[in-house]
Amino acid sequence: MRRLLPKINPPAESPSEADAAVQELPLEPAVSIPESPVKGQIKAAADLAESPVEPERRAKPLPELPLCFMLSHVEPDGPVRLDGVKLALTELMGLELDAPKLGAFAGLLNACDFPLQLLVRQHPPDLERMRRELEDVQPVDLPDQTREAARSQRRLLAELESREGILDRRFYAVCEEEHAQELRGLLARSGLSIHPLEGEPLQRLVIAAALGGSPARTTRDGPVEVQLNQRSIKLGGRLARSLHLSKWPRSLAPGFLQQLMATGAPMDIALHLGPIPSEQAARQLEWQKVRFESARSLSLRRGKTMSPEAEIALEDVSRLRDNVQRGRERLFHASLSLTLHADDPDTLDELTQRASAHFAAALGQLDPLPFRQREGLLSTQPLSLNAVAHWRTLDTSSVARCFPFSPPDLDTRSGALYGIDMRACAPIVYDPWDGTHLNANTAVLARSGSGKSFATKLGVLRGLCRGVVGYVIDPEGEYADMARSAGGRVLSPGVAGQGMNPFVLDRSDPEELLQRIGSLRRLIDVMVGERLSAERRAALDHALASYYARPSGRTGFRDFYRFLEGDDPEGLAKLLRPFASGSLRHLLSDEGDDLLHNEALVTVFDLRLLEPELRPAAAMVCTETVWAAAARDPRPRLLVVDEVWSIMQHPEGAAFMVSMAKRARKHRLGLQFITQDVQDLLSEDHSRTITGHSGRALLQNAAFKLLLQQDAAAISTVADAFDLPEDLQRWLISCPRGDGLLLAKGERFPIRIEATPEETELIEWRPGRH
């Protein structure tokens, strides 16, 4: 094998040590590239999907798939190349880019002893299946205005498929089948979520990678025209252009490929890696070190000094040799290729300029591969084949900084659209009740005027359009008009005819009975407006247990009050008299049974008629009533508690909310609590009766946290609670109304809330506004 001496690159702040230390060792491709006609007709889908799987000992027939795609056939668990090598494909989930993940990825590379291809595909999303599902689950009794809002959401999904810059990004790892289990084990240990591809998803991916576009849109019928040109390839009705990174940057910054993907271009990026044995790498580095030292000695004898570049190269090679010998670093043959996709030549040229400018800014250079477009296209296929056959030697740290599995996305293609991911340029779609999340709870923290009420109303509206029953505890009457226009109902606790009965429960479940007795005890503690003494709390607990131990019959607050009056040595009945015969006698009544038997699409509990000191008790009554409905008939429900801090101010109210957040998942209830008093919720002032420990416990039991615009005085508290870096802190202070940060599954997603005009009209509806 011919050895080439490397060029000495200029110094950099974070040099790629292997670039200056190791000579280039070109590798030949594993398969020779046969000649192919310039233009031809192929049947891509039928050949991939219907090629028979031959027994291992039987000679395989001549492949029907044209040689231009270098495939023999696709078996159920992996494609087979023309040279007979069977491959294994693994889909990976994206991760947030940070130092620990880079370190874990570098550890994966150090343990890899076989060739590996890392593939990133980003293309316009396909949301057709989601649109059909939304139409199928839509309730039949929606009012006309709500039905039009649901229809507009499906139109928005269709518009996102063709909107410029909105992309679907997927990550893959490809290797030979014999190394599949080892690779998947390494990927899992490095913190990546793996999903082996088999069957129909595998076939669709192979077809889509060859022809471009989304695997979900790939069709199996009809021939596809492939035309090779000097600097592009025509695949059916679309154009593709393959490029190769011929000159690597002198230094690689973390997230190097992430910034390329953020340009918003449909593309396929392939990073081929071939590990160099450590013994061979150490010998080559030692030879380089001796070479540089000899050159320095010769210069000194002649009365000259080495150039600064040569001195830096000597330091690099010495340090890299030591790291290789100690096992901290490895050397890899690396090759980076990308294929851009567009509908017309002008767009393709524009995308090419964007990609070239990205590499040029880092002192890299892309090769347009004239007359070698086919080789470039093959290099970005899931074949683990570098058909361009041009390699560069990199060390582990440099390869790890590429880290192609970022940024993450939150697009499950099931549930509702919650917004647009501004960093990944992808829709944020998920279903809190699909069982893949810890719970369906959401915390919304924002300053006044940041759009938290609008975002909450939009979530409630899109939920009810797919059958999720919504309840809102509204202390200021902000949600009443939206509920009426959406076909829901508005209840005013304390008004005659609109009472509730949280004392109804199922006594056949001992666990549920014990938990509900504790909740009712806390509710009564908040109702009386003072913390009960130990004796009174014990008497109340005894009274509740005795009350529910009676033979089954109708239960309610007034019935419990009469039971309590019969034997009340602690005077509890006197404390509860306003709720039995006073001005609040309609708050707790049997009228609430209708809420349990005849649920509306959305119900708003309007508390604005109550005095501020009575609203926490009323909010707890409403919450307990919704919990009774959820315990009786578990189904997806959403309970929104606005200004939750008004409840959290009371020790018993805080304990009640934390308990509710922990138990909601059991009955498929999603708890969404909103507050603008972020500092109060998260404070650590131990001089107060209730501290931030309960607020933080409430947040810990929320699988989703939505942070909208924050006040500068509270950003340090928020940053400490959610471990936010300084750049995100500055962004949250100045981000526009409706933008924010969604925290879910341990990742951060910059989100933009987007509603259609029809949804906005319904959310902001006011009686007589027109």
Side-chain angles (χ1 to χ4, degrees), residues 310-367:
E311 291 286 354
I312 292 175
L314 179 57
E315 294 177 3
D316 286 349
V317 72
S318 300
R319 182 169 54 254
L320 184 57
R321 183 204 60 173
D322 294 340
N323 289 334
V324 169
Q325 289 178 341
R326 288 182 172 87
R328 299 173 184 171
E329 295 278 353
R330 292 194 61 179
L331 298 186
F332 292 86
H333 294 302
S335 178
L336 178 65
S337 301
L338 64 148
T339 299
L340 302 171
H341 300 274
D343 294 326
D344 56 83
D346 293 338
T347 304
L348 188 61
D349 292 339
E350 180 184 353
L351 298 181
T352 304
Q353 291 178 0
R354 286 190 209 168
S356 300
H358 168 77
F359 287 100
L363 301 180
Q365 183 177 350
L366 286 175
D367 182 2

Side-chain angles (χ1 to χ4, degrees), residues 646-693:
S646 63
I647 302 177
M648 299 290 292
Q649 293 182 64
H650 303 273
E652 292 299 326
F656 172 81
M657 291 303 302
V658 173
S659 176
M660 176 69 70
K662 293 179 178 180
R663 295 183 295 153
R665 179 180 58 88
K666 179 179 178 181
H667 299 302
R668 305 195 70 187
L669 176 64
L671 177 63
Q672 179 169 334
F673 48 91
I674 309 169
T675 185
Q676 62 184 12
D677 301 314
V678 180
Q679 283 186 307
D680 292 332
L681 187 68
L682 300 176
S683 65
E684 294 292 346
D685 185 1
H686 296 277
S687 63
R688 305 178 58 177
T689 305
I690 174 65
T691 69
H693 292 298

Side-chain angles (χ1 to χ4, degrees), residues 694-709:
S694 296
R696 292 174 186 268
L698 195 63
L699 291 176
Q700 291 171 0
N701 286 279
F704 307 93
K705 291 98 172 174
L706 178 60
L707 308 178
L708 298 178
Q709 189 183 84

Side-chain angles (χ1 to χ4, degrees), residues 238-257:
R238 291 175 58 82
L239 294 174
R241 176 173 296 162
S242 296
L243 307 167
H244 180 77
L245 186 59
S246 58
K247 178 184 177 183
W248 282 73
R250 180 67 176 86
S251 62
L252 296 177
F256 177 70
L257 291 182

Side-chain angles (χ1 to χ4, degrees), residues 265-287:
M267 66 175 70
D268 300 334
I269 306 175
L271 178 61
H272 296 269
L273 300 174
I276 301 175
S278 299
E279 297 81 2
Q280 177 185 350
R283 288 196 304 269
Q284 299 298 338
L285 290 170
E286 183 65 28
W287 179 83

Side-chain angles (χ1 to χ4, degrees), residues 48-300:
L48 286 175
E50 300 177 5
S51 294
V53 178
E54 297 292 330
E56 293 184 359
R57 298 184 180 180
R58 202 184 204 175
K60 291 182 171 53
L62 294 176
E64 299 180 4
L65 192 66
L67 297 182
C68 63
F69 289 112
M70 296 297 293
L71 272 175
S72 170
H73 61 281
V74 177
E75 296 185 358
D77 56 346
V80 180
R81 290 194 316 229
L82 282 181
D83 58 353
V85 175
K86 186 176 179 180
L87 306 171
L89 276 68
T90 304
E91 184 175 359
L92 308 171
M93 300 299 294
L95 288 177
E96 190 75 31
L97 182 61
D98 55 25
K101 293 185 177 64
L102 285 181
F105 186 58
L108 178 154
L109 296 174
N110 281 336
C112 183
D113 291 320
F114 47 86
L116 172 65
Q117 178 190 12
L118 305 178
L119 178 64
V120 182
R121 301 197 68 244
Q122 60 180 26
H123 43 73
D126 182 81
L127 304 173
E128 182 180 357
R129 181 175 64 87
M130 180 180 172
R131 296 198 305 271
R132 291 198 304 265
E133 289 181 356
L134 288 176
E135 188 172 5
D136 293 340
V137 300
Q138 178 179 307
V140 296
D141 55 346
L142 289 180
D144 294 339
Q145 192 174 4
T146 307
R147 190 181 302 276
E148 182 58 33
R151 193 177 297 114
S152 70
Q153 181 189 174
R154 297 194 293 271
R155 288 198 300 268
L156 175 60
L157 293 174
E159 188 263 333
L160 290 178
E161 293 180 338
S162 57
R163 181 186 298 183
E164 182 179 0
I166 301 298
L167 298 170
D168 183 10
R169 184 177 295 113
R170 293 293 181 263
F171 308 102
Y172 305 94
V174 187
C175 68
E176 296 182 5
E177 184 189 27
E178 58 181 312
H179 303 297
Q181 294 302 323
E182 182 180 356
L183 174 61
R184 289 165 184 169
L186 292 174
L187 292 170
R189 286 194 292 273
S190 64
L192 291 163
S193 299
I194 62 174
H195 304 279
L197 287 178
E198 297 178 349
E200 181 74 14
L202 171 67
Q203 294 178 359
R204 285 187 173 273
L205 171 62
V206 174
I207 299 172
L211 305 180
S214 169
R217 292 186 174 185
T218 302
T219 59
R220 293 192 167 195
D221 300 327
V224 177
E225 180 182 15
V226 178
Q227 179 178 348
L228 298 178
N229 301 316
Q230 177 182 353
R231 294 180 182 271
S232 65
I233 299 179
K234 185 177 181 182
L235 300 168
R238 291 175 58 82
L239 294 174
R241 176 173 296 162
S242 296
L243 307 167
H244 180 77
L245 186 59
S246 58
K247 178 184 177 183
W248 282 73
R250 180 67 176 86
S251 62
L252 296 177
F256 177 70
L257 291 182
Q258 177 179 333
Q259 299 170 9
L260 171 63
M261 292 182 284
T263 58
M267 66 175 70
D268 300 334
I269 306 175
L271 178 61
H272 296 269
L273 300 174
I276 301 175
S278 299
E279 297 81 2
Q280 177 185 350
R283 288 196 304 269
Q284 299 298 338
L285 290 170
E286 183 65 28
W287 179 83
Q288 287 280 32
K289 182 175 181 293
V290 172
R291 172 173 165 267
F292 282 122
E293 289 177 343
S294 299
R296 181 173 61 178
S297 298
L298 183 60
S299 298
L300 292 176

Side-chain angles (χ1 to χ4, degrees), residues 368-504:
L369 296 177
F371 299 104
R372 300 188 67 198
Q373 286 296 300
R374 176 165 166 263
E375 286 83 350
L377 179 63
L378 285 174
S379 298
T380 56
Q381 301 296 302
L383 300 174
S384 192
L385 172 66
N386 179 21
V388 177
H390 181 77
W391 300 89
R392 184 62 178 267
T393 305
L394 298 180
D395 59 319
T396 302
S397 298
S398 298
V399 177
R401 291 190 188 102
C402 293
F403 193 73
F405 313 119
S406 182
D409 62 11
L410 189 59
D411 181 9
T412 62
R413 300 293 159 86
S414 177
L417 174 69
Y418 287 86
I420 305 298
D421 190 333
M422 295 184 291
R423 181 180 54 180
C425 303
I428 293 181
V429 178
Y430 61 89
D431 182 4
W433 292 273
D434 63 1
T436 62
H437 307 282
L438 296 177
N439 51 58
N441 301 338
T442 303
V444 182
L445 309 179
R447 64 183 302 178
S448 178
S450 61
K452 60 182 183 299
S453 296
F454 185 92
T456 303
K457 293 176 186 178
L458 182 62
V460 173
L461 176 61
R462 289 180 175 174
L464 67 90
C465 288
R466 60 189 188 95
V468 178
V469 178
Y471 293 92
V472 182
I473 298 178
D474 182 11
E476 301 296 338
E478 297 181 70
Y479 300 81
D481 294 330
M482 185 273 290
R484 294 188 181 98
S485 61
R489 61 184 173 185
V490 179
L491 300 179
S492 298
V495 176
Q498 299 186 28
M500 285 160 286
N501 184 11
F503 282 75
V504 176

